[in-house]
């Protein structure tokens, strides 16, 4: 892993020796790009030949550099910021024409899907969302399906079956685009973590997540 600055955006880059594709990986609302979850997914993907470029939205970067702890900005602004980060990566030294997939954890995946509702540069092939926030916690009737249904690119959502922001029972009833497919992790929560008594481990689920992303990028 290396740390870089490209066009005033700080990045963490996990680059395998031979890059099959790149995954631009945005954080969720409350945790930074170097959280344990983000780091583990990046390492697993890098070991499978997928380069991972992590970046932070400005509100999170401000926290890192000693600013006040602020909530995320409005989604329209976050979409513009993700678009600027994408362009910075495509113009930067790491990119050499490989396929690019955008996405993120929770809010980061939602913003990537919203960005993909508009035409994007040709290298961008799809969207990978980890723990998609289908609705706010405790508000199952406030649905966030439009970013997924309006997306112009194929979408992979990796979701825990008991995610409090969209469990399997709920999501199976939603009218979702044929462009989207959901990979379910048994007993996983919003961080894809199962309970001990389920017989699964978090490490197993994270490895399965990485495999699902690799298969998606190859498809």
């Amino acid at each position: 892993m290396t740390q870089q600055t490209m066009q005033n955006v700080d990045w963490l880059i996990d680059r395998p020796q031979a890059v099959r594709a790149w995954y631009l990986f945005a954080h969720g609302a409350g945790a930074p790009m170097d959280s344990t979850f983000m780091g583990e997914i990046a390492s697993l993907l890098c070991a499978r030949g997928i380069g991972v470029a992590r970046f932070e939205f400005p509100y999170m970067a401000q926290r890192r550099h000693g600013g006040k702890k602020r909530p995320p900005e409005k989604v329209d602004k976050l979409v513009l910021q993700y678009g600027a980060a994408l362009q910075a990566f495509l113009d930067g030294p790491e990119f050499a024409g490989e396929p690019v997939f955008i996405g993120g954890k929770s809010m980061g995946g939602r913003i990537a899907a919203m960005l993909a509702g508009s035409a994007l540069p040709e290298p961008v092939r799809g969207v990978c969302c980890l723990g998609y926030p289908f609705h706010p916690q405790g508000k199952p009737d406030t649905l966030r399906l439009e970013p997924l249904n309006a997306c112009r690119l194929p979408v992979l959502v990796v979701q825990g079956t008991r995610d409090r922001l969209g469990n399997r029972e709920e999501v199976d009833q939603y009218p979702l685009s044929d462009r989207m497919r959901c990979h379910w992790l048994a007993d996983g929560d919003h961080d894809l973590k199962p309970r001990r008594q389920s017989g699964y481990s978090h490490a197993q689920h994270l490895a399965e997540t990485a495999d699902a992303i690799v298969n998606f990028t190859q498809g």
Side-chain angles (χ1 to χ4, degrees):
M1 180 185 69
T2 60
Q3 186 164 353
Q4 297 183 22
T5 300
M6 292 183 272
Q7 295 188 17
N8 298 318
V9 179
D10 291 332
W11 298 82
L12 291 177
I13 305 291
D14 291 83
R15 182 189 180 98
Q17 268 195 323
V19 180
R20 298 180 187 177
W22 283 99
Y23 180 40
L24 265 63
F25 192 16
H27 58 81
M33 65 180 174
D34 57 357
S35 69
T36 299
F37 179 93
M38 299 279 287
E40 289 178 345
I41 291 292
S43 294
L44 288 164
L45 287 173
C46 188
R48 289 159 170 76
I50 305 296
V52 180
R54 289 177 271 168
F55 71 96
E56 288 179 335
F57 293 104
Y59 83 89
M60 185 64 74
Q62 185 182 41
R63 292 186 193 181
R64 182 180 298 279
H65 296 297
K68 291 183 179 180
K69 187 175 180 179
R70 297 182 178 181
E73 296 173 277
K74 293 183 178 180
V75 292
D76 289 350
K77 197 165 187 179
L78 294 173
V79 171
L80 291 175
Q81 291 165 356
Y82 200 127
L86 170 61
Q87 192 59 56
F89 178 78
L90 295 177
D91 292 340
E94 297 292 342
F95 178 64
E98 303 90 352
V100 174
F101 294 80
I102 62 174
K105 171 71 171 73
S106 192
M107 181 199 77
R110 178 189 175 200
I111 299 305
M114 293 177 72
L115 178 63
S118 301
L120 293 179
E122 191 276 332
V124 183
R125 306 286 178 81
V127 182
C128 303
C129 305
L130 310 185
Y132 186 83
F134 285 94
H135 58 72
Q137 186 173 356
K139 298 180 179 179
D141 295 327
T142 306
L143 296 180
R144 296 164 171 163
L145 307 184
E146 182 60 22
L148 300 175
N149 289 335
C151 190
R152 299 187 180 190
L153 297 170
V155 182
L156 170 69
V157 172
V158 181
Q159 196 86 350
T161 59
R162 61 184 181 91
D163 192 324
R164 66 187 185 278
L165 306 188
N167 61 44
R168 184 158 195 174
E169 183 179 354
E170 294 170 334
V171 175
D172 281 349
Q173 300 177 44
Y174 297 155
L176 290 167
S177 167
D178 291 340
R179 286 181 174 270
M180 196 216 89
R181 72 178 184 88
C182 206
H183 184 96
W184 290 102
L185 297 173
D187 201 60
D189 63 11
H190 192 56
D191 292 322
L192 313 181
K193 188 174 183 178
R195 293 168 291 194
R196 183 176 299 176
Q197 63 267 31
S198 71
Y200 298 94
S201 71
H202 199 201
Q204 286 175 315
H205 276 1
L206 295 183
E208 187 175 335
T209 298
D211 288 338
I213 293 173
V214 171
N215 289 337
F216 180 71
T217 64
Q218 292 174 343

